[in-house]
Each structure stands twice: as structure tokens, then as C-alpha cells.
Amino acid sequence: MSKTSMPKTSRSKTTSSSKTSSSSKTTSTSRRPFRVGRAKTGLGLFATKLIRKGSFIVRYTGRMLPNKIADELDTKYLFEVNARWTVDGSSRKNVARYVNHSCRPNAEADVKKRKILISAIKTIHPGDEITYNYGRDYFNAFIKDHGCRCAACHQKKSVLRSKHKGRKKRKGGKRGKH
């Protein structure tokens, strides 16, 4: 009965004001300076706010496993902490698993007391993809056979293609004149 004693006008006002505040919370800035989104290599982590050089971004989390057990698992989300332990980051709760590889990264992963912390090594602007270098072992095991699809390698390939096309045109032009 206490609900009916409240006038309809004030009830509708509180409802509309609560909707406004809840919608403003969704459109307002999040605590996290990033979002998961579609990248050229699948899903990736993108900055939503300016992330300054040296700033902490996210922690790579998951089950801590002995390396012997981790070597038997068939997953790409393993992060070796030291000679004895590996973190299995395959859980979707681990947002850091969406940070993709780049040969010219804007972040790096540091291991401190068996915790993996990802921080910016360059200033990252809103909309930029957050990337770090996965290391030579991972690159050789998973990326090398298919070819690296990071922005740096893609740009390098397109520059080489354009130089190669330019050479063909010059040669073709000289042959046509002679």
C-alpha cells in the first residue's frame, strides 16, 4: 500500500530521472580507458581515453599453472611468468587477452611478483589499438607461418608493393619507347 500512496506524477519523475542517470552512466566515461572491439586480426583492445606514456593499462590474469602442465595445453593465451610458472589467460574475464601483437607496439608487458602488468610505452590516443610485442618464441610458433598482420608489417608490405609496382611501370615505359 505504501507504493499506491505515492502520487503518480512524482513516481514518473523518479522513474524518468533514474533512467536519465542510468543512461548517462552508460554514455559517461568508464573507469577503464579501453574497450574490446573488432581489429584486423580479430578482436582487439582499443583506447577510449588518452593513455599517457608509462601509465598502467590492464593486468593479464588467469590460472597460475606449472610450466609442465601449461606445455600440454592447446591454447594461445599462455603467458610464461618465469622458468616455473605460466598464466593461462584463456578466460574471457581476462580483458588483457585482447591486446594484440605488433612489431612496433605502443605498450609492454612487465612481470612483477608473478603478476603481468601491461603499461603504455608511448602515448596512446583514443581509437588507437593497444598492442605489445609477444616475443620471438610466440612469434615463431604462431605468427610466422601465417605472416604478421600487425599495422607495422602491413605498412611495410604496402610500401614494398608500391616500390615494386613503380619499378615495373618504369621498365614497361622504357621498353615501349625503344
Side-chain angles (χ1 to χ4, degrees), residues 167-178:
R167 288 180 187 162
K168 282 185 177 180
K169 286 180 182 176
R170 286 186 207 138
K171 287 180 182 177
K174 287 181 181 178
R175 287 182 188 163
K177 289 180 181 178
H178 292 272

Side-chain angles (χ1 to χ4, degrees), residues 5-80:
S5 65
M6 190 170 151
K8 287 183 179 178
T9 54
S10 64
R11 200 181 312 156
S12 64
K13 285 181 183 176
T14 53
T15 307
S16 65
S17 66
S18 65
K19 284 182 182 175
T20 309
S21 65
S22 67
S23 66
S24 65
K25 285 182 183 177
T26 57
T27 57
S28 68
T29 56
S30 171
R31 287 185 331 163
R32 295 178 171 176
F34 53 80
R35 68 172 175 80
V36 176
R38 179 63 57 195
K40 288 184 179 181
T41 57
L43 292 176
L45 211 61
F46 292 86
T48 56
K49 299 177 186 176
L50 185 74
I51 302 171
R52 300 251 179 230
K53 179 181 178 180
S55 300
F56 167 76
I57 300 170
V58 68
R59 182 176 163 208
Y60 196 94
T61 60
R63 296 182 304 159
M64 189 72 73
L65 303 171
N67 286 347
K68 291 176 186 176
I69 295 172
D71 290 341
E72 296 171 7
L73 294 177
D74 187 31
T75 178
K76 294 181 180 182
Y77 299 107
L78 298 175
F79 197 113
E80 192 171 293

Side-chain angles (χ1 to χ4, degrees), residues 71-125:
D71 290 341
E72 296 171 7
L73 294 177
D74 187 31
T75 178
K76 294 181 180 182
Y77 299 107
L78 298 175
F79 197 113
E80 192 171 293
V81 176
N82 55 32
R84 190 170 170 208
W85 295 101
T86 297
V87 172
D88 176 13
S90 58
S91 168
R92 290 192 184 252
K93 291 180 184 178
N94 176 25
V95 180
R97 74 183 240 164
Y98 298 109
V99 178
N100 286 321
H101 164 80
S102 177
C103 295
R104 275 194 257 152
N106 54 17
E108 69 180 356
D110 293 322
V111 179
K112 295 181 181 175
K113 296 183 182 179
R114 296 193 333 186
K115 293 181 182 177
I116 304 159
L117 309 173
I118 298 173
S119 34
I121 57 172
K122 298 177 183 175
T123 299
I124 304 170
H125 299 279

